[in-house]
Amino acid sequence: VSRLGGSSAFVGKVGKDEFGFMLADILKQNKVNNSGMRFDPGARTALAFVTLRADGEREFLFFRNPSADMLLQESELDKDLLEKARILHYGSISLIEEPCRSAHLAAMKIVKKAGGFLSYDPNLRKQLWSSEEAARVGIMSIWEQADMIKVSEDEITFLTGGEDPYDDNVVMKLFHSNLKLLIVTEGSEGCRYYTQTFKGRVGSVKVKPVDTTGAGDAFVGGFLNILASDLKLLKDEKRLRDALYFANACGAVTVTKRGAIPGLPTRDEVLEILQQV
């Protein structure tokens, strides 16, 4: 969001160690408000090692035992910062362990009460949960509260117990009455969108992938940055499609570069790739 010129902040916890300070500094360099970050003197910053396969897809190895992010407490939340948020975007990894789970739920409550919009990307990482069933139950435990949900095809198959992610009837099982938008990302193919009144597909920009890490986040960031300036676009299909096409292009730029944060695009890079189409 900040790379694209929007205003963003991060809420979470790292260790009071070199990795934690480095991450806080990277956020600052990228103009992300990091005043909601907390540093735990007794736990280390979580580490994630990403291995790239030949096709640019990735595998993860995590070190958290327990790591500082899992120890964020409700009392450490910056309430003022959260109340200012037009949109709170979150995943499901913070739901795995207490006290972080309670802090996560409290943050959602604060933003919702202040009139904010809740955006959810489950971001399934099976190996972090105690079991597949625990992952399913945990991810679905906050499903009904989101205003917008972004899922991948694999996540649909996982959450529906092995059903076909290309079948609209299967996807609609994940739609709930409070939901304003459900997005299904299809990697290089683009995405599908479902609202209470319309649905469709938006293709993507074709590129040669080098590293897919961060593509989903770039997509969501690109979309939320546009959405934050006008939530009414969710009711206007043409404007929604334009925003999703821009978001697809954000993901496309990201996969052409190595690394998650270095790969995230600026507005100029996205406009450049859109001009080549």
Side-chain angles (χ1 to χ4, degrees):
V1 169
S2 66
R3 279 269 168 96
L4 295 168
S7 164
S8 67
F10 172 75
V11 173
K13 201 175 201 184
V14 290
K16 200 172 185 178
D17 54 36
E18 290 308 312
F19 287 121
F21 298 138
M22 178 191 83
L23 290 172
D25 199 46
I26 286 173
L27 288 181
K28 202 172 174 182
Q29 285 167 21
N30 283 284
K31 300 184 174 59
V32 177
N33 178 341
N34 65 5
S35 65
M37 265 181 111
R38 301 292 175 259
F39 299 86
D40 195 306
R44 294 286 192 191
T45 302
L47 297 180
F49 293 89
V50 186
T51 315
L52 286 184
R53 299 199 315 237
D55 60 358
E57 283 296 336
R58 66 274 147 95
E59 287 167 356
F60 293 95
L61 173 63
F62 294 97
F63 283 78
R64 345 158 62 213
N65 188 27
S67 52
D69 58 294
M70 299 153 78
L71 303 175
L72 179 70
Q73 303 198 33
E74 188 179 336
S75 61
E76 295 175 306
L77 294 174
D78 184 333
K79 200 159 176 265
D80 293 343
L81 183 66
L82 287 163
E83 283 172 343
K84 281 186 204 136
R86 296 199 73 171
I87 299 173
L88 176 68
H89 179 67
Y90 48 85
S92 69
I93 292 169
S94 39
L95 299 171
I96 298 174
E97 296 277 354
E98 289 291 359
C100 187
R101 179 184 160 81
S102 292
H104 179 143
L105 298 176
M108 287 169 60
K109 212 168 178 178
I110 291 166
V111 172
K112 201 71 188 156
K113 196 177 169 194
F117 183 94
L118 300 182
S119 165
Y120 185 22
D121 173 0
N123 200 26
L124 174 66
R125 297 285 176 264
K126 279 189 256 190
Q127 65 271 50
L128 292 180
W129 295 83
S130 57
S131 67
E132 291 202 356
E133 185 53 25
R136 225 172 264 119
V137 171
I139 287 170
M140 296 308 292
S141 69
I142 58 168
W143 200 261
E144 308 279 316
Q145 296 172 57
D147 294 299
M148 166 186 143
I149 296 173
K150 173 245 161 201
V151 280
S152 67
E153 300 154 295
D154 291 347
E155 286 163 346
I156 291 173
T157 303
F158 177 77
L159 293 171
T160 57
E163 294 194 55
D164 179 7
Y166 299 101
D167 182 342
D168 280 351
N169 296 320
V170 171
V171 177
M172 289 312 285
K173 286 180 185 175
L174 295 174
F175 204 90
H176 64 76
S177 57
N178 301 319
L179 200 58
K180 297 174 181 69
L181 176 65
L182 177 65
I183 301 173
V184 180
T185 51
E186 301 181 341
S188 59
E189 296 302 311
C191 64
R192 279 175 279 156
Y193 58 89
Y194 301 81
T195 73
Q196 288 170 0
T197 48
F198 48 75
K199 63 181 184 186
R201 273 196 84 249
V202 179
S204 189
V205 185
K206 292 284 174 265
V207 290
K208 190 171 168 25
V210 174
D211 177 3
T212 59
T213 316
D217 292 324
F219 169 88
V220 173
F223 181 72
L224 293 182
N225 189 43
I226 296 173
L227 184 64
S229 58
D230 186 9
L231 290 166
K232 290 197 193 80
L233 81 74
L234 295 173
K235 292 193 164 28
D236 181 333
E237 189 169 10
K238 184 189 180 308
R239 286 173 61 211
L240 175 65
R241 289 181 65 88
D242 289 346
L244 289 170
Y245 189 59
F246 182 88
N248 283 342
C250 289
V253 172
T254 304
V255 303
T256 63
K257 297 190 270 186
R258 284 188 181 273
I261 295 176
L264 294 172
T266 60
R267 182 172 291 282
D268 287 347
E269 286 175 313
V270 181
L271 295 176
E272 197 180 312
I273 204 171
L274 287 173
Q275 278 163 4
Q276 292 165 13
V277 178

